[in-house]
Amino acid sequence: MCGIIGYVGKRNSVPYIIDGLKKLEYRGYDSAGISILQEGKLVTVRAVGKVAELEKAALQLSPKGTTGLGHTRWATHGKPSEENSHPHTDCSGEIVVVHNGIIENYLMLREQLISLGHLFKSETDTEVIAHLIEENLKHVRAASDEDRLLKAVQKTNKEISGAFAYGVMWARTPGLLVGVKNQSPLVVGVGKDESFLASDVPAFLQHTNRVLFLEEGEMALLRAGKVTVLDKTGTPKKVRPVKISWDRQTAEKGGYAHFMLKEIYDQPQAIEDTLRTARTDFGKILGMDTAALRALRQVHIIACGTAYHAGLVGKYYLEQFAGIPVTVDLASEYKYRTVPHKVKTLAIAISQSGETADTIGAINKAKEFGFHTLAICNVLGSTLTRVCDRTFFTHCGPEISVASTKAFTSQITAMYALAVSLGKANGNLSKSAFDAAYRDLMQLSKAMGETVKLEYTVRHLTRKIYKADKFIFLGRHVNFPIALEGALKLKEVSYRSAEGFAAGEIKHGPISIIEKGTPVFMLMPQDGLFEKMLSACQECRARGAFVVALTTPGAEKAAKSVADQVIQIPQTNDLLQPVLNVVPLQFLAYWIAKRLGCDIDQPRNLAKSVTVE
Ligand code: M6R
């Protein structure tokens, strides 16, 4: 869960690397470092804290060189400190390595290397890679230093185990960077007279949009403007760069104070983009013929965090439209429970990044059972999309803020599209029901455009409540997951205590935590459960809660009679309503965090993609 960037070209690599690291900060931000090859010597600068700290330190030393590597860290092995920051070196100081992932057998390797006389300077697993390459270089024979390095890295790859992506630079091979990908993200950018190695595309997107996605076990040799990809067996492979349509603006804040706010406002477009797949490629999404679809007996949904909440909403859709029983599991739980697997099952993994280790682990288990697997994912070329049989790309553009917003609403939208198409294909949904469901879906982006106008109302409300020490969110049916998501969002960015419950459950225990003035958010659109939500409002208000009712047109008057404040959300059909209902809660989290002075895009202790178990 770190960010890697490498540059090799004709210009000074330092500004490219520092800038790339800033774009990768969402992957980890407890320390950062760079190594530059300057006149045959490696110059390394490292600093604890964000990339801005590294930038200050680098300015003082002002290294210059056309080949370099950089890293932003999210600690796994060893505390955040300068010694543990990457890049890490071998004993000679001639080899540097930046790494993302975990080397599982590093303790054993470390002991072996120490017994061979290697001196370790950090507590990290990464450092063993540098020393192993150094050790292997002593034993490999080749005509040139470049070939020797290649062979030593290949030997190293056979000796280390785990999920990793890393970049290597050797002082004796100027103008060459080596990248290795094995179950952690690594992409290559091919520019004119320059090449880039990175954990994610935005790191170099402003310099080139020509991208090579490496497969698992592959290596890349990067030179100025020229890249050679070697497959698992070490054989050079012909690959064409993919042109990425995201432009620099898309990957940046677009004038908003934070990525989170920008991404909330991106949602009308994001839904539009997600549905483009549904419009053009509906029947092909699953890659199953009608007979196979009709034979499906159950669906397992697997995801983490916000994506899990999208999965919870998806369960209602699949059961309603396709009539298939659905289970929804946290990926970290699915992997370790007994899963009955005798019947025809579709396993759906939902993930924005496609790099979440828990989700990948769980879907691999589903694959072992022979389940058909589908990813609902946002990131092209990510690990999950390679593991699954098929992918429904949400195409909602890069999500940089650690707190997920547009990916969530796109995931729900994708689940709805999938469920109605499945219902149509397996005969559970009549043509007229399908048409109605589809029509509402195609109106969703417009309704979202109206919903984001609620920012001002929510912002104003937060002035009254932002100092509260706990917040409660209640909903029922499809809005129950939205209560969970509202609470998660608030916790993540504002560090306040927040809990989401099924509204019918509060009387079974949680109501005891309500005190005078506790803000309680009621998700109560005018649907079949509206009356029950009115009762829940009264129960909370009777205990002194400050009740905010989130409702839809027509229900305002009734809501006003039981709430301290009413927020009116545009209306869609009952099942799609959660996509809109979550928006004021996203603004709520944003504005409370902003008023409290929190680090909104990079909340403490978190990272955007959790690539370790
Ligand atoms: O990339 P993924 O969707 O697989 O990530 C899953 C969770 O880590 C993620 O949703 C996390 O909960 C977010 N920070 C929520 O805002």
Side-chain angles (χ1 to χ4, degrees):
M1 184 131 48
C2 302
I4 293 174
I5 170 90
Y7 173 94
V8 50
K10 301 242 151 82
R11 299 163 208 239
N12 181 15
S13 58
V14 177
Y16 289 88
I17 293 173
I18 297 280
D19 189 58
L21 288 178
K22 287 182 183 163
K23 307 262 164 45
L24 292 173
E25 250 184 335
Y26 72 90
R27 301 182 61 83
Y29 38 85
D30 60 44
S31 54
I34 53 169
S35 281
I36 307 299
L37 190 52
Q38 179 172 300
E39 291 162 11
K41 288 224 159 56
L42 289 169
V43 182
T44 298
V45 187
R46 302 186 294 184
V48 174
K50 295 198 168 183
V51 175
E53 299 305 315
L54 173 73
E55 194 173 17
K56 277 187 224 154
L59 267 178
Q60 282 180 359
L61 211 65
S62 132
K64 281 196 183 65
T66 54
T67 315
L69 285 173
H71 187 271
T72 177
R73 180 168 187 250
W74 187 82
T76 55
H77 293 66
K79 60 185 178 299
S81 67
E82 205 177 313
E83 300 72 53
N84 289 333
S85 328
H86 301 216
H88 289 287
T89 59
D90 66 327
C91 299
S92 70
E94 289 193 340
I95 298 164
V96 284
V97 173
V98 288
H99 158 232
N100 170 36
I102 289 181
I103 307 298
E104 282 167 1
N105 57 343
Y106 87 102
L107 276 177
M108 185 263 290
L109 290 169
R110 190 179 160 111
E111 276 167 28
Q112 278 175 6
L113 287 159
I114 289 173
S115 72
L116 291 168
H118 289 261
L119 292 175
F120 279 76
K121 300 168 283 291
S122 76
E123 303 161 288
T124 65
D125 51 342
T126 305
E127 199 182 337
V128 296
I129 305 177
H131 290 280
L132 255 185
I133 295 174
E134 178 186 28
E135 188 58 34
N136 290 332
L137 273 168
K138 291 180 195 161
H139 307 288
V140 295
R141 298 274 165 271
S144 68
D145 278 340
E146 291 201 350
D147 286 345
R148 277 182 67 212
L149 177 63
L150 174 61
K151 285 191 174 172
V153 172
Q154 283 171 326
K155 187 158 188 294
T156 300
N157 292 342
K158 289 194 184 126
E159 290 163 331
I160 54 180
S161 61
F164 50 81
Y166 67 90
V168 188
M169 183 167 61
W170 190 22
R172 298 200 198 171
T173 52
L176 175 71
L177 288 179
V178 180
V180 174
K181 173 171 167 45
N182 183 48
Q183 292 171 46
S184 285
L186 196 68
V187 290
V188 173
V190 190
K192 188 172 178 296
D193 297 332
E194 55 196 12
S195 306
F196 300 84
L197 187 66
S199 301
D200 199 357
V201 175
F204 54 70
L205 190 57
Q206 72 186 95
H207 311 296
T208 181
N209 64 353
R210 298 173 65 232
V211 181
L212 291 170
F213 292 103
L214 302 179
E215 301 284 340
E216 302 311 339
E218 288 188 346
M219 289 176 59
L221 307 178
L222 286 83
R223 298 178 180 87
K226 184 171 178 265
V227 177
T228 311
V229 174
L230 304 179
D231 70 13
K232 266 190 208 156
T233 65
T235 313
K237 172 182 165 184
K238 271 203 176 155
V239 264
R240 277 215 183 156
V242 175
K243 259 200 177 173
I244 293 288
S245 57
W246 300 348
D247 57 14
R248 184 180 155 198
Q249 291 276 311
T250 315
E252 292 180 6
K253 278 185 217 157
Y256 290 94
H258 295 93
F259 280 113
M260 182 178 177
L261 192 60
K262 171 188 176 288
E263 288 158 9
I264 296 173
Y265 275 99
D266 279 349
Q267 289 177 111
Q269 185 62 49
I271 287 175
E272 191 70 36
D273 292 342
T274 298
L275 288 177
R276 203 156 289 139
T277 314
R279 280 201 193 100
T280 57
D281 209 17
F282 227 35
K284 296 186 202 142
I285 295 168
L286 275 170
M288 295 166 94
D289 61 21
T290 311
L293 286 174
R294 285 179 187 253
L296 270 182
R297 287 295 164 267
Q298 60 179 6
V299 176
H300 288 177
I301 299 178
I302 300 157
C304 304
T306 286
Y308 169 72
H309 297 154
L312 290 174
V313 178
K315 173 182 162 76
Y316 291 95
Y317 295 168
L318 283 164
E319 292 185 340
Q320 170 83 28
F321 293 131
I324 302 178
V326 180
T327 60
V328 190
D329 278 76
L330 290 163
S332 53
E333 291 294 316
Y334 188 86
K335 208 172 152 194
Y336 298 101
R337 77 167 167 91
T338 303
V339 176
H341 55 272
K342 294 257 153 41
V343 295
K344 283 265 175 234
T345 304
L346 167 68
I348 303 177
I350 309 177
S351 172
Q352 187 286 131
S353 62
E355 299 296 347
T356 301
D358 287 325
T359 307
I360 293 165
I363 204 74
N364 274 325
K365 174 170 171 174
K367 282 193 83 154
E368 279 165 25
F369 294 144
F371 295 172
H372 191 75
T373 52
L374 174 78
I376 295 185
C377 186
N378 194 37
V379 179
L380 207 77
S382 59
T383 307
L384 185 70
T385 65
R386 289 149 191 254
V387 168
C388 289
D389 297 317
R390 291 289 169 133
T391 300
F392 185 147
F393 283 106
T394 47
H395 289 304
C396 65
E399 191 181 65
I400 307 294
S401 162
V402 166
S404 183
T405 52
K406 64 175 176 176
F408 177 64
T409 45
S410 284
Q411 287 158 353
I412 302 180
T413 304
M415 283 303 309
Y416 186 96
L418 187 73
V420 291
S421 69
L422 201 55
K424 187 184 177 197
N426 74 4
N428 194 62
L429 208 56
S430 68
K431 176 159 184 335
S432 60
F434 172 83
D435 288 346
Y438 192 77
R439 192 186 51 235
D440 291 342
L441 191 59
M442 294 304 145
Q443 295 299 317
L444 189 59
S445 161
K446 198 164 161 238
M448 180 59 92
E450 290 302 308
T451 311
V452 292
K453 293 181 185 160
L454 286 171
E455 185 192 358
Y456 178 78
T457 310
V458 177
R459 173 182 172 173
H460 192 72
L461 162 70
T462 57
R463 279 192 8 211
K464 294 186 207 154
I465 57 169
Y466 77 99
K467 287 190 180 150
D469 59 0
K470 64 179 168 228
F471 296 79
I472 295 172
F473 297 82
L474 302 178
R476 297 184 77 125
H477 197 258
V478 274
N479 288 300
F480 165 43
I482 302 306
L484 298 178
E485 175 60 10
L488 175 63
K489 216 78 308 164
L490 188 59
K491 277 186 267 207
E492 275 189 295
V493 296
S494 75
Y495 320 142
R496 301 278 97 182
S497 274
E499 290 204 66
F501 301 105
E505 270 295 296
I506 48 157
K507 56 186 180 293
H508 297 292
I511 201 162
S512 64
I513 64 174
I514 293 179
E515 293 171 289
K516 189 168 181 328
T518 304
V520 178
F521 290 83
M522 297 283 185
L523 293 146
M524 43 191 294
Q526 198 177 31
D527 58 15
L529 291 162
F530 181 70
E531 300 293 330
K532 302 224 177 286
M533 288 302 296
L534 284 177
S535 308
C537 286
Q538 272 159 337
E539 286 163 13
C540 294
R541 220 169 174 210
R543 272 112 189 139
F546 178 82
V547 173
V548 181
L550 298 120
T551 192
T552 44
E556 260 188 311
K557 202 167 159 216
K560 257 187 196 145
S561 67
V562 292
D564 297 281
Q565 178 151 355
V566 175
I567 296 178
Q568 191 186 291
I569 302 171
Q571 190 150 25
T572 170
N573 74 37
D574 293 353
L575 289 177
L576 276 175
Q577 196 61 45
V579 180
L580 306 181
N581 288 352
V582 75
V583 176
L585 303 186
Q586 296 170 339
F587 283 131
L588 179 84
Y590 176 83
W591 274 101
I592 290 181
K594 178 136 167 134
R595 291 191 193 285
L596 292 171
C598 301
D599 190 346
I600 294 178
D601 284 334
Q602 292 171 348
R604 69 183 183 204
N605 303 339
L606 298 178
K608 180 66 179 165
S609 30
V610 186
T611 52
V612 290
E613 210 188 319

